[in-house]
Amino acid sequence: MMRRTWWIYLIGVLGLVAVAAPFLWMVLGSFKTQGELLRVPPTWLPQDATTQNYDDLFSKANFPRYFLNSALVALVVTAGNLTFCSMIGYALAKLRFKGRNALFVVVMATLMIPGMVTFVPLFVLVTNAGLANSYPGLILPFLVSPFGVFLMRQFFLGLPDDLMDAGRVDGSGELGIFARIMLPLTRPALATLGILTFLGSWNNFLWPLVIAQTEDKYTLPVALALYSTGQNAQNYGLLMAGAVVVVLPVLVMFLAFQRHVTKGIAITGLK
């Protein structure tokens, strides 16, 4: 029994090192000079630590604009998903209306369709609507997700209907029951949906790449990818600093709220 536990810990440590080593190399490399990055043999810790890469990133590379674009898109998409997915999930779980089960089947069917299948039709639709190269074009297609609807519906199913009956006895309407009684009880699911949506929107690359056609609409992943193939392709320090700026906010957010993520998934997964 002890021998089996020892092997499990060893595999866990090796997995942790394999996952964390590239990230640590990226963070440490962002504080190195170009000459030190190309030095053979390479060094782990910066010998001549400098913040010049970050200074160039925010003074010459227009990264503050890209950062604001990413933050705006991710926050609005997250707010939209929390609002619409919770309302649709509540309706599918608690309200009785004709065609409710058929509507849920349609939602589940869309959940199983690969995103690449709908990518071209969605691009044509957004372009014909005149939303290409605009913030609505970046945001509107992702304001609601079938996964979010499914997650919220599963959580609402676990709440007792007696709470709704009590609200009706007190004179609350359906909207009041939803907003003041049922929705506050779904905080773990809302936290899970909010964090996962923010991470997905922040890291989204393909859609902003095709819909943002001018530099002022680029998000961080798109800008970083374009910088890695342009005249700055050999400036490894600048690219590593950009990668840290892209990764660090979502990493801090996930570490801060990971307890809510695991709790929300565990609760909804058991129902």
Side-chain angles (χ1 to χ4, degrees):
M1 186 66 181
M2 289 294 296
R3 187 173 182 178
R4 180 183 299 179
T5 304
W6 181 81
W7 275 105
I8 292 175
Y9 278 111
L10 178 61
I11 294 174
V13 170
L14 292 177
L16 177 63
V17 171
V19 172
F23 179 74
L24 289 176
W25 177 261
M26 178 182 69
V27 173
L28 295 173
S30 67
F31 293 100
K32 296 178 181 177
T33 62
Q34 181 74 358
E36 187 175 355
L37 283 169
L38 298 176
R39 185 179 302 170
V40 180
T43 58
W44 259 103
L45 297 177
Q47 302 299 311
D48 301 311
T50 177
T51 59
Q52 186 62 44
N53 294 319
Y54 289 95
D55 294 339
D56 293 341
L57 192 70
F58 286 97
S59 62
K60 302 177 181 177
N62 203 20
F63 260 65
R65 178 74 181 189
Y66 309 143
F67 189 93
L68 290 177
N69 288 343
S70 286
L72 174 66
V73 172
L75 289 175
V76 176
V77 168
T78 301
N81 272 265
L82 292 178
T83 302
F84 297 121
C85 291
S86 61
M87 296 178 73
I88 299 172
Y90 175 77
L92 293 176
K94 293 298 182 183
L95 301 184
R96 302 289 182 266
F97 58 91
K98 189 176 181 180
R100 185 184 68 164
N101 293 333
L103 184 59
F104 179 65
V105 171
V106 172
V107 173
M108 292 302 297
T110 59
L111 184 62
M112 299 174 187
I113 298 175
M116 296 306 297
V117 175
T118 60
F119 190 86
V120 173
L122 184 61
F123 174 76
V124 173
L125 180 65
V126 171
T127 302
N128 290 339
L131 299 178
N133 197 37
S134 67
Y135 290 118
L138 289 167
I139 294 171
L140 286 178
F142 304 100
L143 278 181
V144 62
S145 68
F147 169 74
V149 173
F150 172 74
L151 181 71
M152 295 307 300
R153 175 187 178 273
Q154 294 303 105
F155 201 92
F156 277 117
L157 283 177
L159 300 180
D161 293 341
D162 294 343
L163 294 174
M164 301 170 62
D165 296 333
R168 294 190 181 100
V169 170
D170 290 340
S172 296
E174 291 300 329
L175 186 60
I177 294 173
F178 166 72
R180 292 197 296 269
I181 298 177
M182 305 299 281
L183 192 61
L185 299 175
T186 64
R187 287 175 183 169
L190 289 174
T192 303
L193 178 61
I195 294 169
L196 294 180
T197 303
F198 185 88
L199 296 180
S201 180
W202 183 273
N203 294 323
N204 191 9
F205 170 73
L206 189 57
W207 180 255
L209 177 66
V210 298
I211 207 68
Q213 299 167 357
T214 58
E215 191 175 350
D216 63 321
K217 296 297 187 301
Y218 287 169
T219 57
L220 277 175
V222 175
L224 186 62
L226 295 179
Y227 266 79
S228 66
T229 57
Q231 60 181 356
N232 295 303
Q234 302 299 320
N235 193 341
Y236 301 119
L238 183 69
L239 294 177
M240 288 189 181
V244 172
V245 172
V246 173
V247 172
L248 197 58
V250 292
L251 181 63
V252 172
M253 184 177 180
F254 180 77
L255 292 177
F257 297 100
Q258 63 172 331
R259 181 170 58 88
H260 299 285
V261 175
T262 54
K263 182 179 179 181
I265 293 176
I267 292 175
T268 53
L270 293 174
K271 295 172 182 175

